[in-house]
Amino acid sequence: MAVSHFMASGMGGIRSAGDLVARMQFSKNMKNDKAKEYVAKKLGLSTIEIADEHIMRELREELKIGVVTGVPGAPRGIAAKMNIERLIDTKINSCEIFRGLTKR
Amino acid sequence: MTQFYTRMGDGKRVTLTKEQILNDIQAGMADAADMAGVPDLTANDIEMLFEIISNKNRIVGVEPGNEVIVSYDIGQLDFTGDNGNSGNGVDVGRMEAALLHERALGADTFELAHADYSIKPVKPVIACEMQAMEEIQNEIVIPYFYGAMPNAGLYYAPDGPYGNPADLMREFRIEEAMKAAELTAEHLAKDIEYVAPKLVAAGADGFNFDTTASAGDADFVGTLYGVEALRKACPETYIMLGMAGESVMGIHGSIEYRGEAVAGKYPHQQVKMAEKAGANVFGPVVNTNTSKSLAWNMARSVTFVKECVKAASIPCHVNMGMGVGGIPMWETAPIDAVTRCNKAMVEVAKVDGV
């Protein structure tokens, strides 16, 4: 089921920019087209390009926002999400909590 | 006469002519439009549905640029659960399941879930769930929710403290049945208020209320008040509210949310209540009729959901599992049917996600 839906219409999460578009839908109640336009503008790409794995694979590694393959040294988890916060100008709950835990 | 391979609502292969498919599309659409009082599909929509169904390729997909978000319910139970949840019975850890969905299955969001996937049983193990959430948030990148069914059925006898409305009504104890439903709604809202903010405090991006109103109108009302409480406690958390069916069952019959009875509400009306309560994303559901064709079920589902999307101020992620969203009620839902329903929902009903 998961694979069928991803193949038919999914953005593919961190294969492209699906996680970023999802964050804008959930944090700002943006409909899909608006959320895609917002993310595309932040990335300097078109709305077609942000769902293109060929473009997004290298860009994600360059922007340090998480990739699907195991790359030693590449940020993932909280570190990648902190970079996503800056990139698309949003607050992410787990990052806020992490910052709270590390304050002296 | 040309015959097209297609499916019945139970997944069985059948062949139908163009005329039969178009008749089924018209009939499915008319059923939804009549039930919910929503507009028919346009001639262009009907033509698009026919093209999708009659496409000779095994799988179909949306045009580049039309991609949407694939959000999830049931969490890791799709791997770990038994066939009651259409689970694979693979006892993989919750961290591993989440990361596999993120890095291998193209998930745009995912969620943590309790084995019983309901609000009530989370209460005694809340610390375990918070700890798991904290650990997984350290590794995952995609939005990661906590998910559970409100599942008001667990508050009724023999599992819970209140009389079972179905039993009470059978004995004509109508007022007692209604009171039991009202008490359940209050209890459910309090449990949501207890559980959900704790998961957000542990780092959850948000909370997914899945299969809402599965136990009828009191289930929906309890959930809506629970969502309100969560929104008040956590103003910035992501809230997704997905339904159990196209119409809210009137187990109580007249229980209200903010002065409006919820029984009998359809997706385009349900979404306005979800918005009022504070949800960010709404998940409409339309159940599949196994005796009707894919064309009938798809057209019926798209008719309900298209109007829901039009009425919504928030994004809509339509539920598209086995037996909902036009997809056949079959454990291994045929991928030709799944991808066709998916394309129809995205390109005809214009959903924001599935």
Side-chain angles (χ1 to χ4, degrees), chain B:
Chain B
M1 195 175 288
T2 309
Q3 296 274 328
F4 297 94
Y5 277 112
T6 184
R7 300 272 175 186
M8 292 300 291
D10 64 357
K12 188 182 174 188
R13 267 275 194 224
V14 290
T15 56
L16 296 177
T17 64
K18 179 176 181 180
E19 190 182 11
Q20 287 172 315
I21 292 171
L22 285 171
N23 284 344
D24 280 2
I25 290 173
Q26 291 278 358
M29 171 191 76
D31 189 70
D34 181 50
M35 280 180 81
V38 298
D40 285 347
L41 299 174
T42 65
N44 188 47
D45 292 339
I46 291 170
E47 194 181 322
M48 283 174 74
L49 292 185
F50 174 73
E51 281 174 13
I52 291 168
I53 288 168
S54 62
N55 188 302
K56 291 191 181 300
N57 293 300
R58 185 163 175 252
I59 63 169
V60 300
V62 301
E63 289 179 20
N66 287 351
E67 297 88 353
V68 298
I69 295 307
V70 177
S71 57
Y72 274 78
D73 58 19
I74 206 79
Q76 78 291 336
L77 290 163
D78 56 4
F79 284 165
T80 62
D82 62 21
N83 72 341
N85 286 320
S86 296
N88 304 120
V90 179
D91 198 18
V92 63
R94 296 198 282 184
M95 165 87 82
E96 290 82 355
L99 297 181
L100 282 169
H101 279 82
E102 170 179 277
R103 296 174 198 177
L105 296 177
D108 292 305
T109 75
F110 202 60
E111 66 178 34
L112 182 68
H114 178 283
D116 200 12
Y117 202 51
S118 303
I119 300 283
K120 186 179 156 188
V122 175
K123 290 189 295 177
V125 293
I126 187 69
C128 299
E129 301 304 271
M130 291 171 71
Q131 192 168 271
M133 177 59 73
E134 287 171 354
E135 288 192 1
I136 298 170
Q137 284 289 352
N138 285 335
E139 283 298 313
I140 201 161
V141 177
I142 59 175
Y144 190 61
F145 292 73
Y146 194 88
M149 288 171 57
N151 203 357
L154 293 183
Y155 296 81
Y156 296 131
D159 300 308
Y162 307 113
N164 192 309
D167 294 336
L168 293 168
M169 283 191 283
R170 212 165 20 239
E171 294 163 9
F172 297 100
R173 294 156 68 188
I174 306 300
E175 283 184 13
E176 283 176 70
M178 291 171 80
K179 188 67 187 169
E182 288 159 18
L183 290 170
T184 290
E186 283 172 28
H187 200 151
L188 171 59
K190 277 184 195 159
D191 283 355
I192 291 171
E193 191 175 356
Y194 173 78
V195 167
K198 286 186 165 47
L199 273 310
V200 176
D205 285 291
F207 208 98
N208 175 28
F209 298 92
D210 180 49
T211 327
T212 299
S214 62
D217 47 358
D219 188 316
F220 193 25
V221 168
T223 305
L224 290 167
Y225 283 117
V227 167
E228 274 191 8
L230 173 58
R231 175 57 69 216
K232 193 174 169 193
C234 309
E236 293 178 310
T237 198
Y238 306 167
I239 300 178
M240 180 152 61
L241 193 158
M243 298 300 290
E246 60 267 35
S247 175
V248 178
M249 289 187 295
I251 301 294
H252 178 285
S254 57
I255 191 167
E256 295 178 349
Y257 170 66
R258 296 285 166 215
E260 193 175 356
V262 305
K265 295 291 183 197
Y266 287 96
H268 67 290
Q269 300 160 320
Q270 297 162 5
V271 68
K272 303 313 288 181
M273 293 180 159
E275 281 173 12
K276 193 186 278 187
N280 302 109
V281 168
F282 178 70
V285 169
V286 182
N287 292 294
T288 294
N289 183 330
T290 54
S291 304
K292 301 287 188 181
S293 69
L294 176 69
W296 189 93
N297 281 298
M298 181 194 286
R300 183 172 180 273
S301 299
V302 166
T303 305
F304 280 123
V305 174
K306 184 182 175 189
E307 187 62 15
C308 175
V309 172
K310 212 158 80 180
S313 305
I314 57 175
C316 291
H317 291 193
V318 62
N319 281 253
M320 300 204 74
M322 47 293 283
V324 290
I327 293 174
M329 173 66 100
W330 189 247
E331 195 173 84
T332 46
I335 60 172
D336 50 280
V338 174
T339 57
R340 277 164 178 73
C341 290
N342 183 305
K343 182 175 169 70
M345 281 297 177
V346 175
E347 295 187 338
V348 181
K350 308 287 185 194
V351 296
D352 303 281
V354 299

